[in-house]
């Protein structure tokens, strides 16, 4: 599968690295309106670079377009790629609104191409392990769940697009959708959502939100997300069931620690950040490998367009609750 | 100062007994209980005497009593003690209904006795740190709070609605609500709640999640669930994360524990070594009548906390936010 990536910011470069270890995929081209971005990646991996998706589609014979653009540009790019008959992998969130997401799902169906969405949390080993344990019923019947994500500070990006709510959708759509998608996957449909956020109340861009969820199966959920710069980025969850508690905190999942006593000499590796919880395969690579594998086999990826739409729909309900101060009901999907 | 205990229905009574026995100048003169065998066992353990009836205890020269009966009995025992002119330390929640709670407030006022609510969490040093930080402007304006007060399912009268007034929500909402009101000098103005029973086959709810708006402009969630398994490594938690404009602070009381790993059952346990907040709660009670002043935690505080729990139950039923006041 010949792959082209559009958007080479944080995620585009992560995906470019990810494809290097994906069997059955070959990154052949990249596109970014900032030439320095596209040239750097093109040089590193020996691929061709373009300024826009249209140019890349025109010049290349791609099988897959990987969309790593800012969220507000997802719909346009996905529709363009689908119209050109390309399979599409799109970063999460699929779109800004359920309407956009639905249109994208329809466009891909109509074009007969496969759409995959980058809800990468489902490929993080600690979350995968939790999914396995929960799906096996080992925790018994789940009663309450808490999930947390954030503290790494406000994301730096092209044109500061995260700071514009109409471009990023704010923290619930951008960040908390990771946990909301994971809960839809593990706990099923949500019946009702009630949410509060600092958006338009406090803090400006450093949004912090608390979401209350009631699932169709009765489970009560509490999801928290923050863009505040706390001591470090952290993820946490706890599932409380009749057979006990299943919990995780990235603050404790530290398998490697190092404290630099002296700056190494010229020759030494300077300024490298080392992961504190290293794994042999990056979840970003695994999510792409799964998608490519599904294309080869002609089967639906686990996070298809509908899954992306479902998550965006839940976010829209939470956002509506934040705006109205009222609980918002959801239809069973 | 002479103190007596009225009922051991609430297990917290034993902690008060220990606190009283450690306190200089304070004497545990006896206990009374509607369940005589339970009362006798408690009296033996505390090396004190069992009065045959509550009346007998109140007829003695006791100065103050600790009411640790089932929630539904708080009103009756408070009115008895007040009529006998005895000071009262009342276990939380203040009562099972707002009507009872208000009657209690009236009774103690008319009798001119001291009445203190048992909200020991105010005496947790980490909580006092938080208050000091807030008072000195270190936190800035409060923006949001996430809190949990989760525990094991306590059983006993706690799960009999006529005696307890409800399950996990009434049991665990009042502690955190009192802390938030006290630390930030604010009131809860709106409550939304999801309430259910998932963990145990009992007549009350055992889990929930409250989302609240505060008068100071902040919002918060509170998880009051009895969601800790029976063999959880400690009784539960008191956790508050406060996001202010100047700082983000967390209180996690039970972290002051030794981790104990062994062959026992359960084989992983936490041994709490933090300060004894029950001691300072009782001391505040005794000091209030030793110094003849209002106790710092009043019946009004008990009522405010109960109002929030009542609003949570209403919201749980109507599935809509409930405004207070
Ligand atoms: N899965 C995850 O963990 C994760 C993490 C961060 C971001 N994301 C998502 O990934 C997407 C991208 O986020 P990011 O942080 O990488 O953004 P970014 O700002 O770092 O990168 C976006 C890139 O797109 C380029 N660009 C903008 N408009 C363009 C156009 N019309 N044509 C070509 N290039 C264009 C910019 O020059 C920039 O290099 C967002 O949807 C975001 O929500 C996902």
């Amino acid at each position: 599968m010949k792959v082209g990536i559009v958007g080479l910011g944080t995620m585009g470069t992560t995906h470019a690295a990810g494809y290097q270890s994906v069997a059955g995929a070959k990154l052949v081209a990249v596109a970014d309106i900032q030439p320095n971005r596209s040239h750097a990646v093109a040089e590193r991996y020996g691929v061709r670079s373009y300024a826009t998706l249209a140019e890349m589609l025109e010049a290349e014979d791609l099988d897959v377009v990987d969309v790593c653009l800012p969220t507000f540009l997802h719909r346009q790019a996905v529709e363009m790629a689908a119209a050109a008959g390309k399979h599409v992998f799109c970063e999460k969130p699929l779109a800004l609104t359920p309407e956009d997401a639905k249109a994208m799902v329809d466009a891909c169906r109509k074009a007969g191409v496969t759409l995959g969405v980058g809800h990468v949390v489902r490929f993080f080993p600690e979350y995968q392990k939790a999914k396995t344990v929960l799906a096996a019923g080992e925790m018994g019947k789940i009663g309450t769940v808490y999930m947390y994500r954030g503290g790494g500070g406000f994301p730096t990006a092209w044109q500061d697009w995260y700071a514009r709510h109409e471009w990023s959708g704010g923290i619930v759509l951008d960040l908390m959708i990771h946990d909301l998608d994971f809960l839809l996957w593990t706990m099923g449909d949500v019946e009702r959502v009630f949410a509060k956020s600092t958006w338009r109340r406090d803090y400006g861009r450093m949004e912090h939100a608390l979401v209350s969820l009631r699932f169709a199966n009765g489970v009560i959920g509490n999801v928290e997300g923050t863009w505040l710069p706390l001591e470090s980025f952290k993820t946490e969850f706890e599932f409380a069931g009749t057979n006990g508690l299943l919990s995780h905190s990235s603050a404790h999942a530290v398998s490697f620690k190092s404290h630099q006593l002296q700056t190494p000499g010229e020759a030494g590796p300077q300024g490298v950040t080392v992961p504190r919880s290293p794994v042999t395969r990056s979840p970003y690579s695994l999510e792409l490998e799964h998608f490519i594998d599904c294309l080869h086999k002609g089967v639906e990826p686990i996070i298809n367009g509908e899954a992306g739409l479902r998550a965006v729909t839940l976010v829209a309900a939470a956002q509506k609750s934040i705006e109205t101060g009222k609980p918002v009901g959801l239809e069973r999907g | 100062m002479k103190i007596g205990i009225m009922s051991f229905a609430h297990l917290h009574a034993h902690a008060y007994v220990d606190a009283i026995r450690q306190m200089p100048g304070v004497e545990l003169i006896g206990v009374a209980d509607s369940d005589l065998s339970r009362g006798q066992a408690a009296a033996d353990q505390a090396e004190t005497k069992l009065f045959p009836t509550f009346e007998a205890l109140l007829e003695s020269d006791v100065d103050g009593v600790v009411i640790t009966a089932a929630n539904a009995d708080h009103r009756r025992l408070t009115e008895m003690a007040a009529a006998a002119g005895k000071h009262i330390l009342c276990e939380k929640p203040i009562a099972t209904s707002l009507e009872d709670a208000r009657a209690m407030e009236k009774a103690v006022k008319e009798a001119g006795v001291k009445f203190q609510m048992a909200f020991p969490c105010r005496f947790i040093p980490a909580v006092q740190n938080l208050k000091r930080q807030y008072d000195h402007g270190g936190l800035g304006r409060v923006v949001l709070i996430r809190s949990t007060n989760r525990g094991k399912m306590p059983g006993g009268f706690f799960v009999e609605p006529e005696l307890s007034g409800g399950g996990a929500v009434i049991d665990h909402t009042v502690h955190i609500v009192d802390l938030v009101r006290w630390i930030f000098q604010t009131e809860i103005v709106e409550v939304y709640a999801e309430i259910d029973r998932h963990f145990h086959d009992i007549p009350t709810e055992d889990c929930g999640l409250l989302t609240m708006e505060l008068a100071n402009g902040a919002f918060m969630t509170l998880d009051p669930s009895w969601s800790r398994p029976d063999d959880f490594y400690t009784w539960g938690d008191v956790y508050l994360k406060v996001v202010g404009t100047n700082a983000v602070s967390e209180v996690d009381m039970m972290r002051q524990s030794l981790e104990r790993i062994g062959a026992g059952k359960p084989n992983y346990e936490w041994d709490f070594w933090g300060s004894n907040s029950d001691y300072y709660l009782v001391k505040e009670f005794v000091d209030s009548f030793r110094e003849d002043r209002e106790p710092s935690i009043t019946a009004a505080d008990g009522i405010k906390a109960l109002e929030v729990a009542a609003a949570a139950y209403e919201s749980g039923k109507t599935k809509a936010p409930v405004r207070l006041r």
Side-chain angles (χ1 to χ4, degrees):
Chain A
M1 295 279 165
K2 292 193 289 284
V3 181
I5 301 174
V6 59
L8 297 168
T10 310
M11 284 333 287
T13 49
T14 303
H15 285 204
Y19 282 113
Q20 304 311 311
S21 64
V22 172
K26 187 165 172 41
L27 181 67
V28 298
V30 293
D32 196 295
I33 45 165
Q34 301 183 74
N36 58 331
R37 286 277 171 96
S38 51
H39 291 159
V41 177
E43 212 164 287
R44 190 173 322 143
Y45 300 112
V47 301
R48 290 171 292 278
S49 70
Y50 302 90
T52 66
L53 172 59
E55 285 173 31
M56 182 165 71
L57 286 171
E58 175 74 31
E60 297 285 338
D61 180 26
L62 300 174
D63 300 297
V64 177
V65 171
D66 183 338
V67 178
C68 292
L69 293 169
T71 302
F72 70 104
L73 297 171
H74 285 183
R75 176 173 174 177
Q76 194 190 321
V78 168
E79 288 180 344
M80 185 187 285
K86 313 301 177 192
H87 299 298
V88 191
F89 188 84
C90 183
E91 252 309 333
K92 53 48 62 184
L94 182 53
L96 282 175
T97 65
E99 294 69 35
D100 283 352
K102 178 80 172 48
M104 293 154 80
V105 169
D106 290 345
C108 291
R109 283 259 170 271
K110 198 165 139 246
V113 299
T114 300
L115 174 60
V117 186
H119 286 294
V120 70
V121 165
R122 297 202 203 181
F123 290 88
F124 272 71
E126 59 274 45
Y127 288 79
Q128 262 179 347
K129 186 84 190 174
K131 165 70 180 173
T132 308
V133 170
L134 292 167
E138 287 177 39
M139 302 318 297
K141 181 179 153 217
I142 300 300
T144 59
V145 53
Y146 168 68
M147 298 192 83
Y148 170 84
R149 180 171 303 271
F154 197 81
T156 45
W158 172 76
Q159 301 267 323
D160 202 16
W161 66 269
Y162 283 98
R164 295 179 61 167
H165 208 272
E166 69 279 18
W167 280 4
S168 71
I171 198 165
V172 186
L173 183 67
D174 190 76
L175 190 66
M176 295 167 76
I177 198 169
H178 284 297
D179 297 304
L180 295 172
D181 171 71
F182 186 73
L183 288 174
L184 287 169
W185 191 38
T186 50
M187 299 287 109
D189 285 333
V190 169
E191 190 168 298
R192 199 163 50 243
V193 52
F194 189 70
K196 300 277 179 195
S197 165
T198 56
W199 180 59
R200 288 187 177 155
R201 287 172 73 132
D202 255 305
Y203 270 150
R205 58 165 56 194
M206 304 289 194
E207 193 179 353
H208 191 137
L210 293 168
V211 176
S212 162
L213 298 166
R214 181 58 99 109
F215 289 84
N217 64 6
V219 170
I220 296 171
N222 188 194
V223 180
E224 177 180 17
T226 184
W227 269 331
L228 283 171
L230 305 177
E231 50 290 41
S232 65
F233 179 76
K234 187 168 80 174
T235 62
E236 287 182 334
F237 60 71
E238 185 203 84
F239 290 84
T242 49
N243 286 354
L245 307 174
L246 184 69
S247 64
H248 149 78
S249 172
S250 62
H252 303 142
V254 176
S255 63
F256 178 81
K257 257 198 227 184
S258 173
H259 182 79
Q260 204 78 48
L261 292 172
Q262 281 184 64
T263 314
E266 295 287 312
Q270 295 205 29
V272 275
T273 44
V274 270
R276 287 155 61 84
S277 184
V279 285
T280 43
R281 293 256 353 238
S282 148
Y284 296 94
S285 186
L286 292 172
E287 72 170 343
L288 298 170
E289 184 165 272
H290 167 75
F291 182 69
I292 297 295
D293 187 45
C294 289
L295 294 182
H296 282 296
K297 291 183 177 143
V299 297
E300 283 282 299
I302 60 162
I303 314 163
N304 60 10
E306 279 79 6
L309 167 62
R310 194 175 176 218
V312 171
T313 304
L314 176 55
V315 169
Q319 198 61 44
K320 188 172 168 200
S321 175
I322 288 167
E323 283 169 40
T324 61
K326 300 272 184 300
V328 175
L330 283 122
E331 281 164 34
R332 303 205 176 182
Chain B
M1 295 294 157
K2 299 190 172 81
I3 309 285
I5 307 273
M6 294 175 86
S7 177
F8 282 81
H10 199 300
L11 288 180
H12 214 164
H14 299 285
Y16 298 135
V17 165
D18 292 343
I20 293 162
R21 296 182 70 196
Q22 285 167 33
M23 206 166 295
V26 177
E27 185 194 346
L28 177 67
I29 69 152
V31 305
D33 201 325
S34 55
D35 178 335
L36 287 175
S37 60
R38 181 175 64 196
Q40 190 61 58
D44 292 348
Q45 203 188 326
E47 294 166 338
T48 188
K49 91 176 208 215
L50 174 71
F51 286 86
T53 60
F54 292 126
E55 286 82 356
L57 171 61
L58 293 172
E59 278 159 18
S60 75
D61 62 349
V62 71
D63 296 296
V65 291
V66 181
I67 297 179
T68 29
N71 302 342
D73 294 330
H74 287 180
R75 176 179 174 173
R76 184 172 58 87
L77 298 185
T78 295
E79 287 174 344
M80 279 171 66
K86 309 299 181 188
H87 306 301
I88 298 156
L89 174 61
C90 181
E91 186 51 61
K92 46 57 59 176
I94 185 167
T96 54
S97 72
L98 286 164
E99 190 197 335
D100 281 358
R102 291 184 186 121
M104 291 161 70
E105 188 184 35
K106 190 157 167 276
V108 295
K109 200 166 274 167
E110 282 171 6
V113 298
K114 313 290 180 200
F115 179 93
Q116 181 183 311
M117 280 305 303
F119 285 134
C121 295
R122 289 197 193 186
F123 298 92
I124 297 168
V127 165
Q128 296 183 333
N129 262 13
L130 181 67
K131 179 159 175 59
R132 212 170 304 125
Q133 186 186 27
Y134 176 73
D135 288 344
H136 289 87
L139 269 173
R141 190 165 42 75
V142 182
V143 174
L144 66 95
I145 299 166
R146 193 181 81 80
S147 60
T148 61
N149 182 201
R150 300 169 300 183
K152 302 179 188 181
M153 195 274 289
F157 82 82
F158 288 87
V159 301
E160 295 178 46
E162 328 75 58
L163 295 178
S164 60
V169 171
I170 194 170
D171 188 33
H172 279 177
T173 294
V174 293
H175 279 302
I176 299 271
V177 164
D178 179 67
L179 287 186
V180 168
R181 292 184 59 250
W182 175 63
I183 296 169
F184 306 113
Q185 298 293 300
T186 189
E187 295 295 343
I188 309 313
V189 294
E190 188 187 281
V191 183
Y192 175 84
E194 296 288 357
I195 298 175
D196 214 333
R197 181 181 56 238
H198 282 311
F199 299 102
H200 300 279
D201 188 13
I202 50 174
T204 65
E205 84 281 357
D206 59 18
C207 59
L209 180 69
L210 279 62
T211 306
M212 296 177 272
E213 289 280 351
L214 311 186
N216 64 6
F219 60 87
M220 69 179 281
T221 59
L222 162 58
D223 179 348
S225 305
W226 289 335
S227 52
R228 307 302 87 185
D230 291 342
D231 56 359
F232 190 57
Y233 48 80
T234 179
W235 60 262
D237 68 4
V238 174
Y239 172 83
L240 282 156
K241 178 199 283 178
V242 182
V243 177
T245 49
N246 291 345
V248 177
S249 298
E250 285 174 88
V251 167
D252 195 353
M253 172 199 179
M254 293 309 293
R255 291 277 163 187
Q256 288 182 314
S257 299
L258 298 182
E259 283 184 88
R260 177 153 61 163
I261 298 168
K265 217 178 173 301
N267 61 14
Y268 177 77
E269 276 183 293
W270 279 15
D271 265 353
F272 184 70
W273 51 260
S275 307
N276 182 350
S277 48
D278 292 321
Y279 180 89
Y280 292 95
L281 177 88
V282 174
K283 182 173 182 302
E284 167 63 13
F285 172 56
V286 173
D287 286 350
S288 76
F289 52 87
R290 239 187 324 220
E291 298 161 12
D292 192 21
R293 58 166 174 84
E294 265 291 278
S296 59
I297 320 172
T298 64
D301 291 324
I303 293 172
K304 284 289 179 192
L306 184 60
E307 278 173 356
V308 174
Y313 283 116
E314 188 188 334
S315 172
K317 277 202 202 89
T318 60
K319 299 178 172 48
V322 171
R323 299 296 295 184
L324 281 162
R325 272 194 297 181

